[in-house]
Amino acid sequence: MKAHSLLIFFVLITFIAEAQSRAKLEPIKNKLMQVREPSDICLSPDNSHFYIVNDNGQLVKSDLNFEPIQISEKELYDPEAVYSDAEYVYVVEERTRNLTLFDHKSLKPYRSICYPYSGGRNKGYEAFTFNQITKRYILATERDPIWIIELDQNLQIYNQFEFDYKGDISSATWHADKLWLLSDENMEVLRLNPTTFAIEYIYQIPVINPEGFVFMPDGKLIVISDDMQRAYTFEINVLEK
């Protein structure tokens, strides 16, 4: 095979490989949420309810139909990420750079930690979750650039690096032994290798202003829209290569 033909062959192979690493998802249903301007969502450890943060500075406990059950009395400043484990509910505020730990039952703050960041006030921390493989928390900035910060189990900074992705990050979660990121601007869900952080698969979603997402016990994906105040449910095949 001539050099020119060989080059074209490898370009075509690369294009096909990249094309196969993407899929378009269509929602199977959507529902109006009773939480205004939702910014992020996570499941409780027992899968019985959601925790949601919103642009009104609230941490909301809701039932699985997105109906509020309880609202924290603490006023939050631009909360953009929420995560829960058996001990606490974790809320990240973009503008203050604070991570606050809340009690599950009372929704009262237990501890607050500030992680200084010199980026724009509206380009700070947007995502927080826990990597079950490395046993480290993941904190990510929104954009320009995207920084991924790994925290140890004492919530101390272990490592940080710039994430190579042309877009923004609006949320993070863990599912099926993979790390997942959500992009608001690109309307994409990214599946990452949990140890190398390489993007393995990209799912395109027709959701305006997707700010948060969560996987349900049955494997369905729920993406919430801030502007539309709706939750969109998707069927997703996480075994795609």
Side-chain angles (χ1 to χ4, degrees):
M1 185 180 292
K2 294 183 178 179
H4 180 67
S5 299
L6 188 62
L7 177 60
I8 293 175
F9 173 77
F10 281 116
V11 168
L12 286 173
I13 291 297
T14 301
F15 175 79
I16 292 170
E18 289 179 351
Q20 289 176 338
S21 66
R22 290 177 176 268
K24 289 184 178 180
L25 301 179
E26 293 293 336
I28 57 175
K29 64 179 179 179
N30 70 82
K31 182 178 178 60
L32 180 67
M33 301 175 67
Q34 298 305 311
V35 179
R36 295 184 61 187
E37 300 181 280
S39 296
D40 200 15
I41 186 171
C42 72
L43 264 175
S44 63
D46 62 1
N47 300 326
S48 67
H49 55 272
F50 293 121
Y51 292 109
I52 302 169
V53 290
N54 67 4
D55 291 347
N56 291 338
Q58 297 173 318
L59 167 60
V60 180
K61 180 189 294 185
S62 84
D63 63 22
L64 297 182
N65 289 314
F66 312 103
E67 297 280 350
I69 300 170
Q70 185 180 359
I71 300 175
S72 173
E73 295 180 0
K74 177 177 171 57
E75 182 181 1
L76 297 165
Y77 298 95
D78 197 18
E80 292 292 344
V82 63
Y83 164 78
S84 71
D85 60 19
E87 290 189 282
Y88 303 108
V89 183
Y90 303 75
V91 175
V92 175
E93 298 168 277
E94 182 176 21
R95 293 181 183 272
T96 66
R97 317 316 201 201
N98 285 342
L99 168 65
T100 302
L101 285 59
F102 288 82
D103 177 76
H104 278 280
K105 292 184 178 180
S106 67
L107 292 190
K108 291 183 177 179
Y110 167 77
R111 179 187 177 194
S112 188
I113 309 164
C114 181
Y115 298 95
Y117 177 65
S118 60
R121 290 187 66 190
N122 64 337
K123 298 178 183 178
Y125 303 123
E126 283 272 337
F128 186 81
T129 193
F130 187 73
N131 187 327
Q132 297 288 348
I133 299 296
T134 63
K135 302 302 180 184
R136 300 186 192 110
Y137 297 94
I138 301 296
L139 181 64
T141 62
E142 181 179 8
R143 57 189 173 91
D144 302 330
I146 300 169
W147 283 96
I148 290 182
I149 301 168
E150 296 181 275
L151 308 176
D152 64 24
Q153 295 188 46
N154 294 316
L155 297 173
Q156 300 296 309
I157 294 178
Y158 173 85
N159 184 35
Q160 55 188 353
F161 59 92
E162 188 173 337
F163 183 60
D164 185 16
Y165 174 67
K166 294 180 180 180
D168 74 322
I169 297 301
S170 60
S171 185
T173 194
W174 180 264
H175 176 66
D177 291 331
K178 299 291 183 179
L179 178 63
W180 301 74
L181 299 177
L182 177 66
S183 173
D184 173 6
E185 294 177 359
N186 292 350
M187 295 190 291
E188 293 179 338
V189 173
L190 313 178
R191 191 187 77 197
L192 272 60
N193 180 295
T195 55
T196 67
F197 296 91
I199 298 174
E200 296 181 337
Y201 212 92
I202 297 176
Y203 302 84
Q204 296 175 313
I205 51 172
V207 177
I208 297 171
N209 192 206
E211 284 282 303
F213 66 154
V214 62
F215 283 92
M216 301 302 291
D218 62 3
K220 290 185 175 64
L221 169 67
I222 294 177
V223 179
I224 59 172
S225 165
D226 185 326
D227 288 346
M228 305 302 291
Q229 197 180 313
R230 303 193 77 88
Y232 298 82
T233 301
F234 297 87
E235 298 274 10
I236 184 168
N237 179 12
V238 299
L239 299 179
E240 291 165 312
K241 299 298 182 182

